[in-house]
């Protein structure tokens, strides 16, 4: 073989694959992967830590639409309003499931891939970590002078005493130790910092725990919305919600028995000269709450200060006015009376509402109303100067015809389809819209009866949320943070103390090696030398480090 290499003019002392070697003839043969090989390749790519980090960042980005557009699960009315405001954009966003972000196929796919990736990362690392914990510390290197913090000290002590003292000092500092002897040299090899990898594993296991708690535990939760009018009570039953969004594992038995009543609503506003508008300062919904078998208890509900009732959280979402409108037939008999929640359209609580009278009159009646708590007229259009009820005014457009309430199909209580109705009063009718101040009673068109603006009450929009996974998410979040801190601040170190005989007595050598960056390793080795020599009863060496020697 050497003769053939000489014949080619190649230096026989150099390998064939050195950097300036002539290219080999032909292309290298690449192994072909079968289905099993491809599966193994993709599995390794999926379960790599780099992929897990990318998926985690991708999940955070995928959650952004959930905060930009209303979600059907938490704000169904907001979705309807968004559709009315952006009729052209809505179908595009809806086709991408942006209004159901957290239950969309693409979000679920990222979620599941992240879960599988984390589990695939954790299992082999856990096995490797337990194997490392059972393994002996590595043998002492032959040349400690190449390592960090190397120092050499000559003392007049018994070598065996020096070794046993080194073992005690290192164990006192939390090191795992192992003694190695050979060729007239005694040494102690020690290592510590495996808690760093333990913390890293706890961090990732806790992250998986958070994913499981949110993905599975959230399926047992529910959320619902309800408009609560002043002096009326709400009981926590399925039929009492205006809208209800159960988890996939929800059952009716999860609804705890309690009742909530709105006693009063206090709002504070101030007039902002810069924006020339009223700005809210504080909202306080004064409630009475009664759990099963208990008495009514006064509670206060504010923005960002939810109430905890029987394991559910009650949030204040909005507020507005609910005029009590009384409708009488021509004989003066009341056929409809009660508060009607009008939906605010601006900060001054200029509101829209719908009143439906299906029975008691010669024909069904529907009224579309606008309400101004502090009525003014701007360019011939009704508006509200402030959100306070200084001069409340109710304006009603009246329609007659089939309201569609008897068709067996659910109808939106806050909307009125006027396409097939006959206008009796309003913009498209011969008579103008009806205007009622507080306490006024006016005649309905065609002698149908009268309508009265009887009373003005407040209402609040509340969301009731139950999520049994919250406690688990909190616990896993705490362990996640603890594991992260441990993995960041616990250093992984190996140190060695070598003891050998020489003409000048017993020579002690110290050095260390870190896995990763450890700026304090040299100081740790110096401190170890001081502790060891002090334990031997000899003068401690000066706190300096001898220069490392290159090979």
């Amino acid at each position: 073989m050497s003769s053939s290499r000489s014949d080619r003019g190649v230096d026989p002392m150099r390998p064939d694959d050195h950097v300036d070697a002539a290219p080999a003839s032909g292309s290298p043969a690449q192994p072909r992967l079968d289905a099993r090989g491809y599966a193994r390749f993709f599995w390794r790519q999926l379960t790599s830590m780099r992929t897990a980090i990318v998926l985690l960042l991708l999940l955070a980005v995928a959650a952004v639409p959930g905060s930009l557009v209303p979600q059907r699960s938490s704000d169904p009315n907001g979705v309807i309003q968004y559709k009315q405001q952006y009729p052209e954009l809505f179908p595009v966003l809806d086709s991408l499931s942006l209004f159901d972000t957290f239950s969309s196929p693409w979000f679920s796919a990222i979620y599941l891939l992240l879960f599988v990736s984390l589990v695939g990362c954790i299992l082999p690392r856990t096995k490797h970590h337990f194997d490392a914990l059972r393994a002996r510390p590595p043998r002492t290197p032959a040349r400690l002078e190449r390592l960090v913090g190397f120092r050499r000290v000559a003392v007049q002590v018994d070598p065996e005493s020096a070794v046993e003292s080194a073992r005690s000092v290192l164990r006192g500092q939390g090191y795992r130790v192992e003694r190695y002897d050979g060729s007239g040299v005694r040494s102690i090899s020690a290592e510590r910092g495996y808690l760093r990898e333990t913390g890293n594993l706890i961090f990732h296991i806790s992250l998986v725990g958070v994913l499981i708690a949110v993905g599975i535990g959230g399926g047992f939760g529910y959320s619902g919305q309800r408009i609560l009018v002043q002096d009326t009570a709400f009981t926590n039953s399925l039929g009492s919600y205006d809208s209800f969004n159960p988890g996939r594992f929800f059952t009716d038995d999860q609804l705890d028995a309690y009742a909530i009543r709105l006693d009063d609503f206090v709002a504070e506003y101030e007039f902002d000269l810069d924006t020339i508008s009223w700005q809210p300062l504080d909202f306080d919904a004064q409630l009475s709450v009664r759990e099963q078998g208990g008495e009514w208890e006064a509670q206060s509900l504010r923005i960002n200060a939810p109430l905890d009732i029987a394991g559910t959280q009650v949030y204040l979402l909005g507020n507005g006015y609910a005029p009590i409108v009384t409708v009488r037939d021509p004989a003066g008999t009341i056929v409809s009376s009660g508060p009607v929640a009008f939906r605010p359209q601006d900060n001054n609580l200029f509101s829209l509402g719908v009143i439906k009278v299906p029975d008691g009159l010669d024909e069904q009646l529907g009224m579309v109303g606008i309400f101004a708590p502090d009525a003014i007229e701007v360019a011939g259009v009704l508006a509200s100067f402030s959100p306070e009820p200084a001069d409340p005014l109710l304006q009603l457009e009246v329609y007659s015809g089939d309201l569609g309430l008897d068709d067996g199909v659910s109808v939106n209580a806050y909307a009125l389809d006027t396409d097939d109705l006959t206008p009796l009063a309003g913009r498209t009718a011969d008579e103008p819209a009806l205007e009622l101040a507080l306490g006024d009673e006016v005649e309905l068109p065609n002698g149908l009866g009268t309508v009265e603006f009887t009373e003005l009450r407040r209402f609040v929009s509340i969301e009731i949320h139950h999520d049994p996974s919250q406690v688990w998410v909190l616990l896993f979040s705490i362990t996640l943070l603890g594991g992260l801190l441990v993995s960041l601040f616990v250093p992984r170190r190996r140190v060695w103390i070598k003891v050998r005989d020489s003409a000048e007595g017993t020579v002690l050598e110290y050095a260390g090696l870190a896995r990763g960056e450890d700026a304090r390793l040299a100081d740790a080795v110096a401190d170890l030398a001081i502790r060891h020599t002090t334990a031997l009863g000899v003068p401690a060496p000066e706190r300096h480090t001898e220069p490392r020697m290159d090979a």
Side-chain angles (χ1 to χ4, degrees):
M1 176 178 179
S2 59
S3 59
S4 62
R5 288 170 59 89
S6 300
D7 295 341
R8 297 197 308 267
V10 179
D11 187 350
M13 299 303 294
R14 303 185 69 186
D16 289 334
D17 58 349
H18 60 83
V19 67
D20 55 348
S25 59
S27 59
Q30 298 291 341
R32 296 178 62 86
L33 292 179
D34 54 9
R36 184 178 179 181
Y38 277 110
R40 184 184 297 111
F41 170 77
F42 286 117
W43 173 253
R44 288 179 178 176
Q45 295 300 314
L46 177 62
T47 57
S48 67
M49 188 56 64
R50 179 181 302 175
T51 302
I53 293 174
V54 171
L55 288 172
L56 186 60
L57 294 176
L58 190 59
L59 187 70
V61 174
V64 171
S67 61
L68 298 179
V69 297
Q71 301 295 296
R72 286 192 175 92
S73 60
S74 59
D75 188 12
N77 293 329
V79 175
I80 295 174
Q81 187 175 2
Y82 193 95
K83 182 179 181 180
Q84 295 173 349
Q85 293 178 347
Y86 307 100
E88 297 181 357
L89 180 61
F90 181 85
V92 177
L93 300 183
D94 195 28
S95 64
L96 298 175
S97 301
L98 295 187
F99 299 101
D100 302 283
T101 296
F102 304 108
S103 59
S104 62
W106 46 270
F107 189 88
S108 300
I110 299 173
Y111 192 93
L112 292 175
L113 285 175
L114 176 60
F115 179 82
V116 173
S117 179
L118 286 173
V119 172
C121 290
I122 290 171
L123 292 180
R125 289 184 63 174
T126 301
K127 181 181 182 302
H128 177 76
H129 182 53
F130 281 122
D131 291 342
L133 288 176
R134 293 195 301 268
R136 299 168 60 190
R139 298 187 66 87
T140 305
R143 301 180 65 180
L144 293 183
E145 60 269 18
R146 293 184 175 186
L147 304 181
V148 178
F150 172 75
R151 58 185 53 235
R152 181 185 291 112
V153 181
V155 295
Q156 300 298 322
V157 296
D158 177 56
E160 188 65 26
S161 299
V163 173
E164 293 303 319
S165 177
R167 184 196 300 269
S168 299
V169 170
L170 287 168
R171 281 182 172 174
Q173 292 185 331
Y175 284 90
R176 299 166 54 206
V177 299
E178 186 71 26
R179 176 170 176 169
Y180 294 99
D181 296 339
S183 302
V185 177
R186 305 173 179 87
S187 65
I188 296 294
S189 176
E191 62 181 350
R192 74 175 185 185
Y194 280 96
L195 190 62
R196 181 189 186 97
E197 180 63 14
T198 302
N200 199 359
L201 289 174
I202 290 175
F203 170 81
H204 289 90
I205 293 172
S206 299
L207 187 57
V208 172
V210 170
L211 294 177
I212 294 175
V214 173
I216 298 180
F220 292 94
Y222 62 86
S223 64
Q225 295 77 36
R226 167 73 182 196
I227 289 180
L228 193 60
V229 180
Q230 186 177 352
D231 296 332
T232 61
F234 158 80
T235 56
N236 189 33
S237 61
L238 195 59
S240 298
Y241 286 90
D242 293 328
S243 61
F244 191 79
N245 304 283
R248 59 180 62 89
F249 308 123
F250 169 81
T251 60
D252 293 353
D253 298 337
Q254 293 179 239
L255 294 176
D256 296 300
Y258 61 83
I260 304 174
R261 184 182 67 223
L262 176 63
D263 297 328
D264 196 8
F265 183 81
V266 180
E268 296 182 13
Y269 300 91
E270 71 172 1
F271 190 76
D272 190 341
L273 295 176
D274 294 333
T275 59
I276 316 179
S277 63
W278 292 88
Q279 300 296 328
L281 298 178
D282 186 30
F283 294 136
D284 181 10
Q286 299 174 5
L287 308 175
S288 291
V289 178
R290 182 174 64 182
E291 298 188 35
Q292 187 174 19
E295 300 294 331
W296 288 103
E297 296 181 1
Q299 299 283 357
S300 179
L301 178 61
R302 285 185 162 90
I303 297 293
N304 298 326
L307 290 181
D308 195 329
I309 306 174
T312 63
Q313 289 73 47
V314 181
Y315 297 87
L316 178 61
L317 299 182
N319 67 91
Y321 289 97
I324 294 181
V325 178
T326 302
V327 179
R328 295 179 173 87
D329 64 11
T333 303
I334 296 177
V335 297
S336 174
S337 181
V340 179
F342 276 56
R343 293 177 296 158
Q345 304 298 304
D346 57 24
N347 288 339
N348 291 337
L349 297 185
F350 181 80
S351 309
L352 302 179
V354 170
I355 302 169
K356 298 179 181 180
V357 185
D359 302 307
L361 300 178
D362 293 340
E363 48 189 328
Q364 292 185 343
L365 212 64
M367 292 178 277
V368 178
I370 58 177
F371 173 74
D374 190 4
I376 59 173
E377 191 171 306
V378 179
V381 178
L382 182 64
S384 182
F385 174 72
S386 75
E388 298 290 350
D391 186 17
L393 183 66
L394 182 63
Q395 190 177 89
L396 300 174
E397 293 186 348
V398 184
Y399 298 85
S400 65
D402 185 6
L403 302 180
L405 302 179
D406 302 324
D407 298 338
V409 180
S410 60
V411 178
N412 188 351
Y414 303 102
L416 180 65
D417 186 0
T418 61
D419 293 341
D420 297 327
L421 299 180
T422 302
L424 302 180
R427 293 168 296 175
T428 59
D430 296 334
E431 297 188 24
L434 307 181
E435 289 192 356
L436 298 91
L438 184 59
D440 286 352
E441 183 177 6
V442 299
E443 296 287 337
L444 289 169
N446 298 343
L448 292 175
T450 62
V451 58
E452 179 186 3
F453 183 3
T454 308
E455 187 182 343
L456 182 61
R457 295 183 184 178
R458 296 300 301 262
F459 78 83
V460 295
S461 174
I462 60 174
E463 177 175 5
I464 298 176
H465 183 74
H466 175 66
D467 186 0
S469 67
Q470 287 181 338
V471 175
W472 291 104
V473 171
L474 176 62
L475 292 176
F476 282 124
S477 298
I478 292 174
T479 57
L480 184 147
L481 180 60
L484 179 61
L485 293 176
V486 169
S487 66
L488 290 177
F489 295 107
V490 173
R492 176 83 176 273
R493 291 172 177 169
R494 288 175 178 170
V495 295
W496 292 274
I497 299 178
K498 186 182 291 187
V499 180
R500 59 182 176 83
D501 296 324
S502 68
E504 49 185 328
T506 300
V507 176
L508 309 177
E509 294 182 355
Y510 307 87
L513 182 65
R515 184 171 182 176
E517 296 293 331
D518 189 353
R520 302 184 61 183
L521 179 59
D523 292 336
V525 174
D527 182 70
L528 174 62
I530 293 173
R531 289 174 180 266
H532 185 216
T533 53
T534 301
L536 293 174
V538 298
E542 295 182 3
R543 193 178 275 274
H544 72 278
T545 304
E546 296 187 12
R548 294 171 59 183
M549 300 174 59
D550 295 329

